[in-house]
Amino acid sequence: MPGLLRGVARTAVVAGTATAVSNRVSRRQAGRWAQQESSAEPAPAAPPPAAAAPAAPAAPTMEEKLDQLKDLATLKDQGVLTEEEFAAQKARILGS
């Protein structure tokens, strides 16, 4: 039974990590699309009066950065990320 529990726990960690990475990729891609759309469309004559400016995302804390690095290390250990991809993502996380 402990081996089964360990397998279930490992699967949960992998699924959670994959979901977190997927969500980050989706948000980044949506941001790129929005940026492309805004640069391709002409600027409106006047902004709508009720439009509120979106809040800037808060800078990640050191704890969040460490969690992201642990997730990346897990993905690298599982063979999902190459050494080059790991290094690039690590540099991105530490640079932000």
Side-chain angles (χ1 to χ4, degrees):
M1 193 62 129
L4 177 63
L5 186 59
R6 188 174 308 140
V8 169
R10 182 176 295 139
T11 301
V13 168
V14 170
T17 302
T19 301
V21 171
S22 175
N23 288 341
R24 277 187 237 127
V25 169
S26 294
R27 283 193 301 268
R28 187 176 343 129
Q29 188 64 38
R32 287 180 183 167
W33 287 340
Q35 187 178 33
Q36 287 176 352
E37 288 176 5
S38 67
S39 65
E41 295 176 9
T61 64
M62 184 55 74
E63 188 173 315
E64 290 170 332
K65 288 180 180 183
L66 289 174
D67 288 341
Q68 290 175 350
L69 289 173
K70 288 176 186 176
D71 291 343
L72 281 175
T74 302
L75 290 172
K76 186 183 104 185
D77 292 343
Q78 294 169 352
V80 175
L81 294 176
T82 64
E83 186 65 39
E84 293 80 21
E85 292 169 329
F86 175 77
Q89 291 301 318
K90 178 180 168 186
R92 181 188 62 81
I93 290 170
L94 294 176
S96 61

